[in-house]
Amino acid sequence: MKNQRITLPIDGLNCGGGGILIVERALIKTPGVVHVYVNPATEMAYVEYDPARSEPDCLVKAVEHAGFRAGVPSVR
């Protein structure tokens, strides 16, 4: 199965960088995640993952477990 890409809104990020690293680390540790980029200016996470190993709900839970609120993911 081909990797998928989603955009995930993240509420509460700031430009200081600490939140960005926390979210990136939480997402990259999620099984099946291949690549993560978090943009603090847009408060969005761009995630590439293997849908055979993970799903968007798991990514949302990882962000929330890291202490941030995640919005509804959208397919890119």
Side-chain angles (χ1 to χ4, degrees):
M1 191 177 279
K2 186 177 178 183
N3 287 346
Q4 291 191 352
R5 295 179 181 167
I6 65 166
T7 303
L8 186 61
I10 311 291
D11 190 35
L13 286 178
N14 58 36
C15 292
I20 299 162
L21 292 175
I22 291 168
V23 171
E24 284 182 344
R25 286 179 183 152
L27 287 168
I28 203 69
K29 288 180 182 177
T30 305
V33 172
V34 177
H35 180 76
V36 175
Y37 169 70
V38 177
N39 185 330
T42 61
E43 292 192 317
M44 300 291 264
Y46 303 93
V47 183
E48 181 179 349
Y49 70 100
D50 178 353
R53 297 187 61 213
S54 192
E55 57 186 40
D57 285 346
C58 294
L59 304 175
V60 169
K61 287 177 185 174
V63 170
E64 291 175 348
H65 185 71
F68 294 86
R69 273 192 310 235
V72 177
S74 62
V75 177
R76 296 189 328 181

